[in-house]
Amino acid sequence: AQSVSQHNHHVILSEAASLELGCNYSYGGTVNLFWYVQYPGQHLQLLLKYFSGDPLVKGIKGFEAEFIKSKFSFNLRKPSVQWSDTAEYFCAAHGSGNTGKLIFGQGTTLQVKP
Amino acid sequence: GAVVSQHPSWVICKSGTSVKIECRSLDFQATTMFWYRQFPKQSLMLMATSNEGSKATYEQGVEKDKFLINHASLTLSTLTVTSAHPEDSSFYICGGTRAYEQYFGPGTRLTVT
């Protein structure tokens, strides 16, 4: 069955610390991968996406993610977090060529202490 | 670009009544729209896939007669929660797809009393 799994449910960091959020997927066939962020009281926003090509993807606000096919992973990273990065982060996937139906991971709550 | 709006943003209704939520793609045409439900501090659960001009496809466990979806045009999809009950209280989010990328509305908070 298709699934997306996020290992870290709640992460607490101090400002300037480095961040890595895990995401693993289980999909048959080619997969497109996404990271979304949901700031408190706001709607989901796309941070970055991977369709093909360079497995290291750079997104907005200094975030990046690396697609490692052999590990079925698409971990999100940021070298130095800020208090404003406090939010919910969701990894998502859909099979390439379909209508864009997304399967979401469970989400990770990131709390950055000033 | 790629803005999706939802209306209303917040609604309170009495048990047994029906509520309609609108989802509009403001600056693009969305052949496919998706409806999600999100519980507090949880992930988005896909309820149904809505295609313009055809019947919606519901995920397993979602009652199609309770959650009526209509995709009347390439920019409008509606979700009607019929005979709402307190357990239907939740945050409902729609998403419109453009070029395999999904753009989300701000969500609608439904509270059934």
Side-chain angles (χ1 to χ4, degrees):
Chain A
Q2 299 169 340
S3 66
V4 176
S5 178
Q6 293 178 241
H7 320 299
N8 320 98
H9 299 296
H10 195 162
V11 174
I12 302 174
L13 295 173
S14 298
E15 275 194 318
S18 64
L19 169 72
E20 181 161 1
L21 301 182
C23 173
N24 285 91
Y25 65 92
S26 174
Y27 249 87
T30 307
V31 63
N32 297 329
L33 296 158
F34 305 82
W35 274 98
Y36 288 91
V37 61
Q38 188 176 33
Y39 297 104
Q42 296 188 29
H43 64 280
L44 280 165
Q45 299 174 40
L46 179 68
L47 275 178
L48 47 78
K49 62 186 177 186
Y50 173 79
F51 282 13
S52 64
D54 189 343
L56 184 61
V57 180
K58 295 193 182 299
I60 62 171
K61 306 188 182 194
F63 287 91
E64 65 178 31
E66 185 174 11
F67 170 61
I68 303 179
K69 189 175 182 180
S70 61
K71 295 184 179 181
F72 301 94
S73 69
F74 189 57
N75 292 355
L76 180 71
R77 300 193 292 247
K78 186 171 184 178
S80 177
V81 295
Q82 301 172 323
W83 176 78
S84 58
D85 292 324
T86 295
E88 291 278 330
Y89 291 82
F90 296 96
C91 182
H94 72 63
S96 63
N98 74 6
T99 57
K101 173 180 169 180
L102 284 170
I103 304 296
F104 281 87
Q106 303 91 324
T108 297
T109 301
L110 172 64
Q111 183 181 353
V112 180
K113 295 184 175 181
Chain B
V3 178
V4 176
S5 70
Q6 280 184 243
H7 177 79
S9 56
W10 183 49
V11 58
I12 300 174
C13 71
K14 291 187 177 181
S15 188
T17 62
S18 296
V19 173
K20 180 185 283 188
I21 301 170
E22 290 187 349
C23 174
R24 292 181 184 273
S25 56
L26 299 184
D27 54 0
F28 69 102
Q29 293 183 327
T31 307
T32 303
M33 287 186 173
F34 300 89
W35 286 95
Y36 300 85
R37 186 171 177 176
Q38 186 181 29
F39 291 101
K41 298 297 183 183
Q42 294 188 30
S43 188
L44 281 73
M45 182 192 78
L46 180 65
M47 298 175 65
T49 303
S50 165
N51 291 296
E52 186 264 339
S54 62
K55 290 184 179 180
T57 302
Y58 291 82
E59 295 299 303
Q60 192 173 8
V62 177
E63 299 176 61
K64 61 181 181 181
D65 294 330
K66 181 168 188 61
F67 298 100
L68 300 179
I69 292 172
N70 182 271
H71 197 149
S73 73
L74 288 172
T75 59
L76 173 64
S77 177
T78 60
L79 168 67
T80 301
V81 183
T82 63
S83 187
H85 291 286
E87 57 265 30
D88 299 324
S89 297
S90 191
F91 196 56
Y92 293 87
I93 300 172
C94 71
T97 299
R98 184 183 74 173
Y100 299 114
E101 196 169 316
Q102 200 166 143
Y103 298 88
F104 295 91
T108 296
R109 173 77 58 196
L110 170 63
T111 301
V112 184
T113 60

